[in-house]
Amino acid sequence: MPLKTYGVLIGRAVDTRREGAADTPHYQIHLADDQGTHYRASVNVQSQEKPSDLLYLVSEDFRHPVTARLEGLTGGWNTLPSGPGGPNLDFVRGNLLDPARMRLLPPEVSGPDNDLADLLDHYVRRAVDDASARLYVFGERWGPETNVRDKVFGFLPGNGVHDIHMNQGNSARFAKDDGVWQDGGLLIHFPGQSRWVAVFLAFQSQTWHTDDVTGHALVPGGTLPAPGGGAVRIVAALVNPRGRSPEAETVTLINVSPDPVDLVGWRLVDRLGHACTIPPGTLAAGACLALPVTDGAQLGNHGGEITLLDADGLKVHGVSYTAEQAAQEGWSVVF
């Protein structure tokens, strides 16, 4: 079953604590919301399963429609209902990141700037020093624990968020936590700089192709290649064509491989999960193909995601665009 209580905690960073490399270490963040309620965000920096080093990706200038969807949420804990179109995170379906760009870091080693705790410190400590900065921590809620002080920072009652990492495609041992649209993550908003920083974490034991309903690994027992390095990729989209609705939206693909690719059974999927069937045919090596968006799929002008699926329903590539990118009528968004 999926996480019991999934959502996002919004607050200011007060303090941090590193737990070292013993047992199952975490990077601990003390947060407070605007009403004075205190929380602890417990971020895994090591896996309980081998290989133990985590995969990470940091975007120092994160631009994705999910940041606009967070507008209007109140400070403190916000429970998020499952499903596409909202502020939920989903590493596979939300096109938040290219998993092929993720790298490995050990949890804690001697020396500066060479482990995962150092990396988290680099960004979170800047948020501690900037009173206007706000953390958006996605994961599973625990507490409040009445009459129980927080074991790390000592505030009362104990209260916080964990599972701040990918929460699908798990090995059999942790498959009970699988679900869709419930991935964890850390977004930091620096309003003075008009900038978002995003930190995404995943375990090496997790699989990147998962079931659309359960979030379980489609091929248990091994990590499949991450999307992003395939032969066919989305390179552009005409999201906001000139003229009245319904507009003639298009998505452009390119075959970057030296071999032709059979597109029979392939589909494009919009941000709400509506699928558009790609006309059957072969895409030659090095060739591009502009596809009309049909079958009820739509590319909204306020930001969205576009996902390419093969005949087996596996994700081949995915992109996202913001409302700002879609604002110019008649211009294609280039990815």
Side-chain angles (χ1 to χ4, degrees), residues 237-242 301 322-333:
L238 182 54
V239 173
N240 187 9
R242 286 176 173 169
N301 296 346
T322 64
E324 181 182 14
Q325 289 175 296
Q328 288 188 288
E329 190 178 57
W331 286 81
S332 291
V333 179

Side-chain angles (χ1 to χ4, degrees), residues 13 80 296:
L80 299 177

Side-chain angles (χ1 to χ4, degrees), residues 2-335:
L3 302 182
K4 293 180 180 178
T5 308
Y6 174 76
V8 58
L9 169 64
I10 305 173
R12 57 184 176 84
V14 176
D15 197 4
T16 64
R17 187 75 53 81
R18 302 163 67 126
E19 288 188 336
D23 193 22
T24 55
H26 294 77
Y27 181 86
Q28 309 285 6
I29 307 172
H30 181 184
L31 300 97
D33 64 22
D34 294 335
Q35 289 72 47
T37 302
H38 292 258
Y39 306 83
R40 173 165 55 89
S42 186
V43 186
N44 290 78
V45 294
Q46 187 177 41
S47 173
Q48 295 183 38
E49 293 191 328
K50 293 184 178 180
S52 60
D53 291 351
L54 264 65
L55 291 159
Y56 80 94
L57 177 70
V58 174
S59 175
E60 294 193 341
D61 188 15
F62 182 61
R63 302 189 183 210
H64 188 280
V66 72
T67 58
R69 297 169 194 159
L70 291 166
E71 295 177 2
L73 294 183
T74 60
W77 175 256
N78 294 264
T79 300
L80 299 177
S82 182
N88 304 46
L89 302 187
D90 190 302
F91 287 13
V92 177
R93 295 155 194 84
N95 299 338
L96 299 159
L97 70 158
D98 179 358
R101 294 180 54 216
M102 300 192 90
R103 298 292 180 263
L104 294 169
L105 266 181
E108 180 100 20
V109 294
S110 60
D113 301 325
N114 59 2
D115 57 48
L116 193 50
D118 288 338
L119 178 128
L120 291 164
D121 239 7
H122 179 81
Y123 297 102
V124 178
R125 293 305 305 180
R126 280 158 178 75
V128 172
D129 295 337
D130 184 345
S132 68
R134 289 296 180 269
L135 271 61
Y136 292 70
V137 187
F138 294 80
E140 184 177 44
R141 173 79 181 270
W142 85 78
E145 300 171 324
T146 306
N147 299 323
V148 178
R149 289 193 176 276
D150 181 77
K151 67 178 184 179
V152 177
F153 298 106
F155 55 79
L156 186 70
N159 196 21
V161 184
H162 61 170
D163 290 330
I164 307 168
H165 48 68
M166 185 176 178
N167 289 306
Q168 59 183 305
N170 285 298
S171 64
R173 180 181 175 187
F174 296 102
K176 60 180 175 53
D177 295 329
D178 283 343
V180 297
W181 297 106
Q182 58 151 41
D183 284 330
L186 175 63
L187 305 185
I188 309 175
H189 187 210
F190 295 95
Q193 305 171 33
S194 298
R195 182 165 67 102
W196 289 80
V197 172
V199 181
F200 301 117
L201 301 171
F203 300 118
Q204 294 185 66
S205 56
Q206 291 173 314
T207 294
W208 290 96
H209 291 300
T210 61
D211 184 87
D212 286 336
V213 176
T214 65
H216 293 328
L218 291 176
V219 182
T223 300
L224 294 174
V232 182
R233 303 177 193 176
I234 302 169
V235 291
L238 182 54
V239 173
N240 187 9
R242 286 176 173 169
R244 296 181 178 180
S245 297
E247 302 157 315
E249 300 167 338
T250 61
V251 173
T252 301
L253 308 180
I254 184 173
N255 178 6
V256 298
S257 79
D259 302 307
V261 175
D262 185 358
L263 300 180
V264 172
W266 288 41
R267 293 174 294 153
L268 291 170
V269 179
D270 67 13
R271 76 180 184 93
L272 293 178
H274 300 138
C276 163
T277 301
I278 296 176
T282 299
L283 187 57
C288 291
L289 177 64
L291 298 167
V293 178
T294 60
D295 301 336
Q298 291 185 317
L299 308 182
N301 296 346
H302 299 292
E305 298 86 42
I306 311 168
T307 301
L308 178 64
L309 304 178
D310 67 14
D312 295 321
L314 299 181
K315 181 177 177 179
V316 176
H317 194 223
V319 295
S320 65
Y321 61 92
T322 64
E324 181 182 14
Q325 289 175 296
Q328 288 188 288
E329 190 178 57
W331 286 81
S332 291
V333 179
V334 178
F335 304 107

